[in-house]
Amino acid sequence: MVAKRPRTGGKDKVRKKNERCDREMVSQSFVEKITIIQNDSLNGAVELTKRTLKAIKKEIERATNLKEELPELIQMLSLVHPEMASIAMIAKQLKQYVEHEEDEEELKTRLQKELEQLGQEITTREQQTVEMLCTELKKYKSIMTISSSTTIRTALAMIPQKEREKEIYICESRPLLEGQTLATQLAKMGYKVKLFVDAAAGHYLREVEAVVVGADTIFRDGSILNKIGSLALALLARKYGRPFIVAASKNKLSTEAAENYGFYIQEKPAEEVYPEKVPNLTVLNIYFDFIPKELITTLISK
Amino acid sequence: MVAKRPRTGGKDKVRKKNERCDREMVSQSFVEKITIIQNDSLNGAVELTKRTLKAIKKEIERATNLKEELPELIQMLSLVHPEMASIAMIAKQLKQYVEHEEDEEELKTRLQKELEQLGQEITTREQQTVEMLCTELKKYKSIMTISSSTTIRTALAMIPQKEREKEIYICESRPLLEGQTLATQLAKMGYKVKLFVDAAAGHYLREVEAVVVGADTIFRDGSILNKIGSLALALLARKYGRPFIVAASKNKLSTEAAENYGFYIQEKPAEEVYPEKVPNLTVLNIYFDFIPKELITTLISK
């Protein structure tokens, strides 16, 4: 999910961990960069993964004792965006080198090369997924989506100007309303955009040919996590016989089994939903819905 | 649906009609009262129907030529809240007297009596429905609802203080967020309330024993209209095997066939959803969802 405003009340786990630990090896500059990435709800997984890779590369360049520093760096990565498989993938890649019997300089060179290659793979997978999605999208005169998927926006941007007669129905996407931002962007591209509250999706779904969403996580069995509200969209699409299409590259592929999806669904700041404090009133705020594979018609994923 | 803020951009159909027509019979004071009722999104159907009845009684008292005035008064009633069956019922009742061969005073007395009786019937039906709902609600430790149904709030207020350990999950209910108001009211009554965005209902529905909603209109076949988002709740309840309970008195019973429900679903002011004007971007805003009878487990209605 790509959100409009930065998270305000999120726990600064990375920084806290850093303050607790006496034998710090990683640099302050690295901690700062990672903390910014952690608190970023504005950018999607691909962008944040690229930034993470860049920060790690810089940190490896700086390191004087990589073998001792690496386990700590890996541990920090696990706290950045636990829901983003592409960042977990970097940690996994780095772990292979912790026990390597190599000298410092050799290890450094090899890691830099590996990370460079990983970055390229991530970019390639994303590009290929966007191209596949673009071909799929050309089939429909009208689609509905929720939240703001970079994959979907990029695929729509690839469609030639003269073919942009498509109607795009977008849920506003509470709590952070990033659907409003996507709606404005697509309207500027020349698409005929319709924006409405999330709860109205059931009414307007009858008017579209397909529902197309991104995914924040793809589980091994093909189930996904995506912006809350996606589960209702999938059920409504099923009810009206419309395809429910998910587009997300294998960068989002989780190593977790689908039944452990609860791990990714964390409580977010209550103020994003309702700012007042009232006794007996608990304000709940989560970002993700679990959509079981049987509700997904097509998974477009390279 | 009971909404928090008054409608701002709604078309003043009653007043406009009044300005167009040269041979006005009804009083300016009546037109003003009816216009206020028309623009009221704060109060529920029962309250607005009572106010309408009161205004009509006053107008009949004032009238000097009831037989000529009645058709116009009836026509105005059809524009007040077309989605409220209880107001349509008054119009229907009055229509019977248009062709009556009675003298002015006799007709006046008879109409006053009929309207008085109708008012009592409306109150009684509502009270009995609330009592039936109260008995039903005692069965569940946790329920979910959307919007702010007066029937549900009154039934919950009837449950004794010491039995208010119930957990009540409430959708915030965009666009006007009247769910927030209900959540605060029920928390003050001592219930343990959980509030969340409409799109998160699918996630939290697993935690409740039943979904309970009001209705703005009941069709003859048992299908209903209720706050948008209700259709998704009904589908989610079905998916998780939870009962979907509707509580609304027969005051809401429409004479329309269910398939004509589109008549009740009108576009509301776009600014309530998104205030900015962007070329190519249409902001859609509706208040009601149609829920077919096969998705309703129980209809509590006197």
Side-chain angles (χ1 to χ4, degrees), chain A residues 60-101:
Chain A
I60 288 176
E61 232 174 81
R62 183 211 56 80
T64 47
N65 191 343
L66 208 46
K67 288 201 177 185
E68 281 197 33
E69 193 181 314
L70 221 44
E72 192 189 338
L73 194 147
I74 291 166
Q75 208 197 330
M76 281 181 68
L77 281 185
S78 71
L79 302 169
V80 181
H81 276 282
E83 79 283 8
M84 288 183 184
S86 44
I87 293 178
M89 210 194 289
I90 307 172
K92 201 178 156 193
Q93 204 91 344
L94 289 175
K95 255 182 206 161
Q96 298 175 10
Y97 292 89
V98 175
E99 303 295 322
H100 256 242
E101 291 300 333

mmCIF file of all heavy atoms in Angstrom, chain A residues 60-101:
data_model
loop_
_atom_site.group_PDB
_atom_site.id
_atom_site.type_symbol
_atom_site.label_atom_id
_atom_site.label_comp_id
_atom_site.label_asym_id
_atom_site.label_seq_id
_atom_site.Cartn_x
_atom_site.Cartn_y
_atom_site.Cartn_z
ATOM 1 N N ILE A 60 28.135 -0.893 3.957
ATOM 2 C CA ILE A 60 29.150 -1.933 3.728
ATOM 3 C C ILE A 60 30.471 -1.293 3.289
ATOM 4 O O ILE A 60 31.556 -1.692 3.714
ATOM 5 C CB ILE A 60 28.638 -2.972 2.693
ATOM 6 C CG1 ILE A 60 27.538 -3.827 3.365
ATOM 7 C CG2 ILE A 60 29.766 -3.848 2.166
ATOM 8 C CD1 ILE A 60 26.868 -4.830 2.449
ATOM 9 N N GLU A 61 30.360 -0.273 2.481
ATOM 10 C CA GLU A 61 31.545 0.481 2.036
ATOM 11 C C GLU A 61 32.303 1.040 3.240
ATOM 12 O O GLU A 61 33.526 0.980 3.312
ATOM 13 C CB GLU A 61 31.049 1.651 1.177
ATOM 14 C CG GLU A 61 31.708 1.758 -0.196
ATOM 15 C CD GLU A 61 31.007 2.859 -0.995
ATOM 16 O OE1 GLU A 61 31.323 4.050 -0.781
ATOM 17 O OE2 GLU A 61 30.118 2.483 -1.784
ATOM 18 N N ARG A 62 31.530 1.571 4.205
ATOM 19 C CA ARG A 62 32.100 2.218 5.386
ATOM 20 C C ARG A 62 32.682 1.230 6.395
ATOM 21 O O ARG A 62 33.636 1.522 7.117
ATOM 22 C CB ARG A 62 30.992 3.038 6.070
ATOM 23 C CG ARG A 62 31.406 3.850 7.278
ATOM 24 C CD ARG A 62 30.276 3.999 8.300
ATOM 25 N NE ARG A 62 29.734 2.717 8.760
ATOM 26 C CZ ARG A 62 30.278 1.937 9.665
ATOM 27 N NH1 ARG A 62 31.396 2.294 10.255
ATOM 28 N NH2 ARG A 62 29.731 0.774 10.010
ATOM 29 N N ALA A 63 32.072 0.032 6.450
ATOM 30 C CA ALA A 63 32.372 -0.927 7.522
ATOM 31 C C ALA A 63 33.857 -1.280 7.600
ATOM 32 O O ALA A 63 34.542 -1.363 6.582
ATOM 33 C CB ALA A 63 31.554 -2.193 7.296
ATOM 34 N N THR A 64 34.320 -1.475 8.858
ATOM 35 C CA THR A 64 35.715 -1.879 9.046
ATOM 36 C C THR A 64 35.779 -3.335 9.499
ATOM 37 O O THR A 64 36.777 -4.011 9.334
ATOM 38 C CB THR A 64 36.393 -0.993 10.109
ATOM 39 O OG1 THR A 64 35.516 -0.906 11.244
ATOM 40 C CG2 THR A 64 36.662 0.390 9.563
ATOM 41 N N ASN A 65 34.663 -3.807 10.091
ATOM 42 C CA ASN A 65 34.620 -5.211 10.503
ATOM 43 C C ASN A 65 33.276 -5.804 10.117
ATOM 44 O O ASN A 65 32.369 -5.963 10.917
ATOM 45 C CB ASN A 65 34.837 -5.310 12.019
ATOM 46 C CG ASN A 65 35.067 -6.749 12.428
ATOM 47 O OD1 ASN A 65 34.754 -7.681 11.673
ATOM 48 N ND2 ASN A 65 35.608 -6.939 13.619
ATOM 49 N N LEU A 66 33.183 -6.126 8.852
ATOM 50 C CA LEU A 66 31.905 -6.537 8.259
ATOM 51 C C LEU A 66 31.336 -7.781 8.927
ATOM 52 O O LEU A 66 30.134 -7.892 9.126
ATOM 53 C CB LEU A 66 32.141 -6.778 6.764
ATOM 54 C CG LEU A 66 30.961 -6.584 5.821
ATOM 55 C CD1 LEU A 66 30.207 -5.305 6.113
ATOM 56 C CD2 LEU A 66 31.458 -6.592 4.385
ATOM 57 N N LYS A 67 32.199 -8.709 9.279
ATOM 58 C CA LYS A 67 31.720 -9.987 9.838
ATOM 59 C C LYS A 67 31.008 -9.786 11.169
ATOM 60 O O LYS A 67 30.082 -10.509 11.503
ATOM 61 C CB LYS A 67 32.870 -10.968 9.996
ATOM 62 C CG LYS A 67 33.307 -11.469 8.654
ATOM 63 C CD LYS A 67 34.046 -12.769 8.741
ATOM 64 C CE LYS A 67 34.349 -13.193 7.311
ATOM 65 N NZ LYS A 67 34.963 -14.500 7.242
ATOM 66 N N GLU A 68 31.465 -8.810 11.944
ATOM 67 C CA GLU A 68 30.802 -8.556 13.225
ATOM 68 C C GLU A 68 29.580 -7.662 13.047
ATOM 69 O O GLU A 68 28.631 -7.745 13.800
ATOM 70 C CB GLU A 68 31.786 -7.913 14.215
ATOM 71 C CG GLU A 68 32.700 -8.945 14.835
ATOM 72 C CD GLU A 68 33.382 -8.424 16.082
ATOM 73 O OE1 GLU A 68 32.753 -7.614 16.815
ATOM 74 O OE2 GLU A 68 34.541 -8.806 16.297
ATOM 75 N N GLU A 69 29.665 -6.822 12.045
ATOM 76 C CA GLU A 69 28.584 -5.861 11.837
ATOM 77 C C GLU A 69 27.353 -6.493 11.175
ATOM 78 O O GLU A 69 26.212 -6.103 11.444
ATOM 79 C CB GLU A 69 29.107 -4.723 10.956
ATOM 80 C CG GLU A 69 28.184 -3.533 10.920
ATOM 81 C CD GLU A 69 28.719 -2.426 10.022
ATOM 82 O OE1 GLU A 69 29.922 -2.098 10.121
ATOM 83 O OE2 GLU A 69 27.921 -1.916 9.220
ATOM 84 N N LEU A 70 27.614 -7.450 10.311
ATOM 85 C CA LEU A 70 26.546 -8.020 9.482
ATOM 86 C C LEU A 70 25.334 -8.557 10.275
ATOM 87 O O LEU A 70 24.189 -8.228 9.927
ATOM 88 C CB LEU A 70 27.140 -9.106 8.572
ATOM 89 C CG LEU A 70 26.642 -9.154 7.127
ATOM 90 C CD1 LEU A 70 26.557 -7.787 6.488
ATOM 91 C CD2 LEU A 70 27.517 -10.084 6.307
ATOM 92 N N PRO A 71 25.547 -9.351 11.351
ATOM 93 C CA PRO A 71 24.373 -9.877 12.073
ATOM 94 C C PRO A 71 23.475 -8.761 12.610
ATOM 95 O O PRO A 71 22.246 -8.869 12.571
ATOM 96 C CB PRO A 71 25.001 -10.660 13.231
ATOM 97 C CG PRO A 71 26.363 -11.030 12.753
ATOM 98 C CD PRO A 71 26.813 -9.874 11.897
ATOM 99 N N GLU A 72 24.089 -7.678 13.067
ATOM 100 C CA GLU A 72 23.308 -6.576 13.613
ATOM 101 C C GLU A 72 22.525 -5.870 12.507
ATOM 102 O O GLU A 72 21.347 -5.518 12.675
ATOM 103 C CB GLU A 72 24.259 -5.593 14.280
ATOM 104 C CG GLU A 72 23.520 -4.581 15.124
ATOM 105 C CD GLU A 72 24.449 -3.493 15.609
ATOM 106 O OE1 GLU A 72 25.683 -3.732 15.646
ATOM 107 O OE2 GLU A 72 23.948 -2.405 15.925
ATOM 108 N N LEU A 73 23.193 -5.664 11.388
ATOM 109 C CA LEU A 73 22.547 -5.028 10.236
ATOM 110 C C LEU A 73 21.350 -5.869 9.771
ATOM 111 O O LEU A 73 20.267 -5.342 9.492
ATOM 112 C CB LEU A 73 23.591 -4.908 9.118
ATOM 113 C CG LEU A 73 23.273 -4.005 7.937
ATOM 114 C CD1 LEU A 73 24.554 -3.376 7.410
ATOM 115 C CD2 LEU A 73 22.586 -4.756 6.822
ATOM 116 N N ILE A 74 21.514 -7.171 9.758
ATOM 117 C CA ILE A 74 20.431 -8.075 9.338
ATOM 118 C C ILE A 74 19.264 -7.984 10.317
ATOM 119 O O ILE A 74 18.095 -7.929 9.918
ATOM 120 C CB ILE A 74 20.952 -9.534 9.234
ATOM 121 C CG1 ILE A 74 21.932 -9.647 8.056
ATOM 122 C CG2 ILE A 74 19.793 -10.520 9.072
ATOM 123 C CD1 ILE A 74 22.764 -10.906 8.046
ATOM 124 N N GLN A 75 19.589 -7.930 11.610
ATOM 125 C CA GLN A 75 18.540 -7.847 12.624
ATOM 126 C C GLN A 75 17.735 -6.544 12.456
ATOM 127 O O GLN A 75 16.516 -6.522 12.593
ATOM 128 C CB GLN A 75 19.156 -7.914 14.011
ATOM 129 C CG GLN A 75 18.182 -8.507 15.042
ATOM 130 C CD GLN A 75 18.596 -8.216 16.462
ATOM 131 O OE1 GLN A 75 19.793 -8.088 16.745
ATOM 132 N NE2 GLN A 75 17.625 -8.100 17.354
ATOM 133 N N MET A 76 18.455 -5.466 12.161
ATOM 134 C CA MET A 76 17.774 -4.182 11.949
ATOM 135 C C MET A 76 16.831 -4.252 10.751
ATOM 136 O O MET A 76 15.718 -3.719 10.773
ATOM 137 C CB MET A 76 18.793 -3.066 11.736
ATOM 138 C CG MET A 76 19.410 -2.588 13.019
ATOM 139 S SD MET A 76 20.586 -1.264 12.690
ATOM 140 C CE MET A 76 19.481 0.017 12.141
ATOM 141 N N LEU A 77 17.283 -4.923 9.703
ATOM 142 C CA LEU A 77 16.457 -5.039 8.489
ATOM 143 C C LEU A 77 15.115 -5.712 8.778
ATOM 144 O O LEU A 77 14.099 -5.385 8.180
ATOM 145 C CB LEU A 77 17.198 -5.852 7.424
ATOM 146 C CG LEU A 77 18.270 -5.129 6.622
ATOM 147 C CD1 LEU A 77 18.801 -6.059 5.551
ATOM 148 C CD2 LEU A 77 17.713 -3.857 5.992
ATOM 149 N N SER A 78 15.138 -6.658 9.733
ATOM 150 C CA SER A 78 13.903 -7.400 10.043
ATOM 151 C C SER A 78 12.842 -6.498 10.670
ATOM 152 O O SER A 78 11.672 -6.851 10.735
ATOM 153 C CB SER A 78 14.213 -8.569 10.966
ATOM 154 O OG SER A 78 14.532 -8.065 12.263
ATOM 155 N N LEU A 79 13.267 -5.330 11.164
ATOM 156 C CA LEU A 79 12.316 -4.424 11.819
ATOM 157 C C LEU A 79 11.810 -3.299 10.910
ATOM 158 O O LEU A 79 10.871 -2.589 11.245
ATOM 159 C CB LEU A 79 12.966 -3.788 13.056
ATOM 160 C CG LEU A 79 13.478 -4.751 14.140
ATOM 161 C CD1 LEU A 79 14.315 -4.009 15.160
ATOM 162 C CD2 LEU A 79 12.320 -5.460 14.811
ATOM 163 N N VAL A 80 12.449 -3.129 9.764
ATOM 164 C CA VAL A 80 12.150 -1.971 8.915
ATOM 165 C C VAL A 80 10.703 -1.981 8.417
ATOM 166 O O VAL A 80 9.895 -1.128 8.780
ATOM 167 C CB VAL A 80 13.120 -1.882 7.714
ATOM 168 C CG1 VAL A 80 12.805 -0.664 6.852
ATOM 169 C CG2 VAL A 80 14.551 -1.800 8.204
ATOM 170 N N HIS A 81 10.379 -2.922 7.566
ATOM 171 C CA HIS A 81 9.003 -3.095 7.068
ATOM 172 C C HIS A 81 8.768 -4.592 7.016
ATOM 173 O O HIS A 81 8.863 -5.197 5.948
ATOM 174 C CB HIS A 81 8.814 -2.467 5.676
ATOM 175 C CG HIS A 81 8.525 -1.011 5.699
ATOM 176 N ND1 HIS A 81 7.277 -0.511 6.011
ATOM 177 C CD2 HIS A 81 9.324 0.057 5.469
ATOM 178 C CE1 HIS A 81 7.327 0.812 5.963
ATOM 179 N NE2 HIS A 81 8.549 1.189 5.648
ATOM 180 N N PRO A 82 8.417 -5.180 8.149
ATOM 181 C CA PRO A 82 8.309 -6.648 8.181
ATOM 182 C C PRO A 82 7.340 -7.186 7.132
ATOM 183 O O PRO A 82 7.431 -8.339 6.735
ATOM 184 C CB PRO A 82 7.812 -6.962 9.595
ATOM 185 C CG PRO A 82 7.597 -5.669 10.290
ATOM 186 C CD PRO A 82 8.090 -4.561 9.438
ATOM 187 N N GLU A 83 6.389 -6.325 6.690
ATOM 188 C CA GLU A 83 5.406 -6.784 5.714
ATOM 189 C C GLU A 83 5.936 -6.778 4.284
ATOM 190 O O GLU A 83 5.261 -7.239 3.370
ATOM 191 C CB GLU A 83 4.127 -5.942 5.825
ATOM 192 C CG GLU A 83 4.151 -4.568 5.162
ATOM 193 C CD GLU A 83 4.919 -3.502 5.943
ATOM 194 O OE1 GLU A 83 5.583 -3.834 6.945
ATOM 195 O OE2 GLU A 83 4.867 -2.335 5.516
ATOM 196 N N MET A 84 7.144 -6.243 4.079
ATOM 197 C CA MET A 84 7.660 -6.161 2.708
ATOM 198 C C MET A 84 8.639 -7.294 2.420
ATOM 199 O O MET A 84 9.775 -7.291 2.900
ATOM 200 C CB MET A 84 8.319 -4.804 2.470
ATOM 201 C CG MET A 84 7.305 -3.672 2.384
ATOM 202 S SD MET A 84 8.084 -2.081 2.008
ATOM 203 C CE MET A 84 6.627 -1.018 2.112
ATOM 204 N N ALA A 85 8.189 -8.219 1.591
ATOM 205 C CA ALA A 85 8.988 -9.409 1.299
ATOM 206 C C ALA A 85 10.315 -9.059 0.634
ATOM 207 O O ALA A 85 11.328 -9.722 0.854
ATOM 208 C CB ALA A 85 8.189 -10.347 0.402
ATOM 209 N N SER A 86 10.314 -7.984 -0.157
ATOM 210 C CA SER A 86 11.536 -7.637 -0.901
ATOM 211 C C SER A 86 12.647 -7.198 0.053
ATOM 212 O O SER A 86 13.833 -7.377 -0.245
ATOM 213 C CB SER A 86 11.239 -6.548 -1.930
ATOM 214 O OG SER A 86 10.423 -5.539 -1.369
ATOM 215 N N ILE A 87 12.284 -6.647 1.205
ATOM 216 C CA ILE A 87 13.311 -6.263 2.185
ATOM 217 C C ILE A 87 13.763 -7.504 2.970
ATOM 218 O O ILE A 87 14.958 -7.688 3.228
ATOM 219 C CB ILE A 87 12.800 -5.119 3.098
ATOM 220 C CG1 ILE A 87 12.627 -3.840 2.248
ATOM 221 C CG2 ILE A 87 13.771 -4.854 4.253
ATOM 222 C CD1 ILE A 87 12.097 -2.628 2.978
ATOM 223 N N ALA A 88 12.812 -8.379 3.261
ATOM 224 C CA ALA A 88 13.164 -9.651 3.930
ATOM 225 C C ALA A 88 14.135 -10.453 3.053
ATOM 226 O O ALA A 88 15.041 -11.120 3.553
ATOM 227 C CB ALA A 88 11.901 -10.449 4.206
ATOM 228 N N MET A 89 13.936 -10.331 1.743
ATOM 229 C CA MET A 89 14.787 -11.054 0.789
ATOM 230 C C MET A 89 16.239 -10.576 0.877
ATOM 231 O O MET A 89 17.170 -11.384 0.779
ATOM 232 C CB MET A 89 14.251 -10.822 -0.629
ATOM 233 C CG MET A 89 14.507 -11.967 -1.594
ATOM 234 S SD MET A 89 14.196 -11.424 -3.294
ATOM 235 C CE MET A 89 12.408 -11.256 -3.303
ATOM 236 N N ILE A 90 16.440 -9.292 1.077
ATOM 237 C CA ILE A 90 17.816 -8.768 1.208
ATOM 238 C C ILE A 90 18.457 -9.368 2.457
ATOM 239 O O ILE A 90 19.609 -9.824 2.432
ATOM 240 C CB ILE A 90 17.828 -7.226 1.349
ATOM 241 C CG1 ILE A 90 17.051 -6.571 0.209
ATOM 242 C CG2 ILE A 90 19.262 -6.705 1.377
ATOM 243 C CD1 ILE A 90 16.854 -5.071 0.396
ATOM 244 N N ALA A 91 17.685 -9.376 3.560
ATOM 245 C CA ALA A 91 18.211 -9.928 4.813
ATOM 246 C C ALA A 91 18.629 -11.384 4.621
ATOM 247 O O ALA A 91 19.702 -11.810 5.063
ATOM 248 C CB ALA A 91 17.155 -9.801 5.907
ATOM 249 N N LYS A 92 17.770 -12.120 3.914
ATOM 250 C CA LYS A 92 18.037 -13.549 3.666
ATOM 251 C C LYS A 92 19.339 -13.711 2.862
ATOM 252 O O LYS A 92 20.174 -14.563 3.163
ATOM 253 C CB LYS A 92 16.848 -14.115 2.883
ATOM 254 C CG LYS A 92 16.696 -15.610 2.981
ATOM 255 C CD LYS A 92 15.460 -16.050 2.205
ATOM 256 C CE LYS A 92 15.589 -17.509 1.794
ATOM 257 N NZ LYS A 92 14.581 -17.872 0.793
ATOM 258 N N GLN A 93 19.489 -12.886 1.844
ATOM 259 C CA GLN A 93 20.677 -12.917 0.980
ATOM 260 C C GLN A 93 21.936 -12.637 1.812
ATOM 261 O O GLN A 93 22.939 -13.325 1.681
ATOM 262 C CB GLN A 93 20.514 -11.836 -0.111
ATOM 263 C CG GLN A 93 21.302 -12.099 -1.358
ATOM 264 C CD GLN A 93 20.467 -12.897 -2.375
ATOM 265 O OE1 GLN A 93 19.435 -13.483 -2.032
ATOM 266 N NE2 GLN A 93 20.945 -12.922 -3.606
ATOM 267 N N LEU A 94 21.833 -11.620 2.687
ATOM 268 C CA LEU A 94 23.002 -11.236 3.495
ATOM 269 C C LEU A 94 23.386 -12.328 4.490
ATOM 270 O O LEU A 94 24.567 -12.554 4.745
ATOM 271 C CB LEU A 94 22.707 -9.929 4.248
ATOM 272 C CG LEU A 94 22.638 -8.649 3.432
ATOM 273 C CD1 LEU A 94 22.209 -7.473 4.294
ATOM 274 C CD2 LEU A 94 23.994 -8.352 2.757
ATOM 275 N N LYS A 95 22.377 -13.003 5.022
ATOM 276 C CA LYS A 95 22.599 -14.043 6.036
ATOM 277 C C LYS A 95 23.551 -15.121 5.546
ATOM 278 O O LYS A 95 24.341 -15.680 6.311
ATOM 279 C CB LYS A 95 21.263 -14.694 6.422
ATOM 280 C CG LYS A 95 20.762 -14.246 7.780
ATOM 281 C CD LYS A 95 19.471 -14.966 8.133
ATOM 282 C CE LYS A 95 18.652 -14.143 9.102
ATOM 283 N NZ LYS A 95 17.253 -14.538 9.129
ATOM 284 N N GLN A 96 23.480 -15.423 4.258
ATOM 285 C CA GLN A 96 24.339 -16.460 3.676
ATOM 286 C C GLN A 96 25.823 -16.153 3.855
ATOM 287 O O GLN A 96 26.664 -17.032 3.778
ATOM 288 C CB GLN A 96 24.071 -16.590 2.176
ATOM 289 C CG GLN A 96 22.662 -17.013 1.828
ATOM 290 C CD GLN A 96 22.457 -16.991 0.311
ATOM 291 O OE1 GLN A 96 23.403 -16.844 -0.443
ATOM 292 N NE2 GLN A 96 21.205 -17.137 -0.100
ATOM 293 N N TYR A 97 26.102 -14.865 4.089
ATOM 294 C CA TYR A 97 27.512 -14.475 4.130
ATOM 295 C C TYR A 97 28.061 -14.335 5.535
ATOM 296 O O TYR A 97 29.246 -14.099 5.724
ATOM 297 C CB TYR A 97 27.726 -13.187 3.325
ATOM 298 C CG TYR A 97 27.522 -13.443 1.862
ATOM 299 C CD1 TYR A 97 26.266 -13.321 1.288
ATOM 300 C CD2 TYR A 97 28.588 -13.898 1.076
ATOM 301 C CE1 TYR A 97 26.068 -13.620 -0.044
ATOM 302 C CE2 TYR A 97 28.394 -14.200 -0.256
ATOM 303 C CZ TYR A 97 27.134 -14.056 -0.824
ATOM 304 O OH TYR A 97 26.949 -14.365 -2.126
ATOM 305 N N VAL A 98 27.207 -14.492 6.515
ATOM 306 C CA VAL A 98 27.652 -14.310 7.901
ATOM 307 C C VAL A 98 28.723 -15.319 8.267
ATOM 308 O O VAL A 98 29.710 -14.998 8.924
ATOM 309 C CB VAL A 98 26.453 -14.390 8.878
ATOM 310 C CG1 VAL A 98 26.927 -14.330 10.323
ATOM 311 C CG2 VAL A 98 25.480 -13.255 8.599
ATOM 312 N N GLU A 99 28.530 -16.553 7.821
ATOM 313 C CA GLU A 99 29.462 -17.619 8.210
ATOM 314 C C GLU A 99 30.572 -17.849 7.166
ATOM 315 O O GLU A 99 31.366 -18.771 7.301
ATOM 316 C CB GLU A 99 28.686 -18.928 8.438
ATOM 317 C CG GLU A 99 27.583 -18.841 9.484
ATOM 318 C CD GLU A 99 28.122 -18.574 10.890
ATOM 319 O OE1 GLU A 99 29.199 -19.126 11.225
ATOM 320 O OE2 GLU A 99 27.505 -17.781 11.627
ATOM 321 N N HIS A 100 30.580 -17.033 6.129
ATOM 322 C CA HIS A 100 31.566 -17.209 5.057
ATOM 323 C C HIS A 100 32.988 -16.997 5.555
ATOM 324 O O HIS A 100 33.269 -16.049 6.272
ATOM 325 C CB HIS A 100 31.285 -16.224 3.919
ATOM 326 C CG HIS A 100 30.643 -16.875 2.743
ATOM 327 N ND1 HIS A 100 31.223 -16.924 1.509
ATOM 328 C CD2 HIS A 100 29.465 -17.536 2.633
ATOM 329 C CE1 HIS A 100 30.420 -17.557 0.668
ATOM 330 N NE2 HIS A 100 29.330 -17.933 1.349
ATOM 331 N N GLU A 101 33.890 -17.909 5.129
ATOM 332 C CA GLU A 101 35.300 -17.759 5.503
ATOM 333 C C GLU A 101 36.029 -16.949 4.437
ATOM 334 O O GLU A 101 36.697 -17.485 3.585
ATOM 335 C CB GLU A 101 35.935 -19.148 5.665
ATOM 336 C CG GLU A 101 35.447 -19.937 6.860
ATOM 337 C CD GLU A 101 35.709 -19.230 8.189
ATOM 338 O OE1 GLU A 101 36.662 -18.432 8.290
ATOM 339 O OE2 GLU A 101 34.928 -19.462 9.132
#
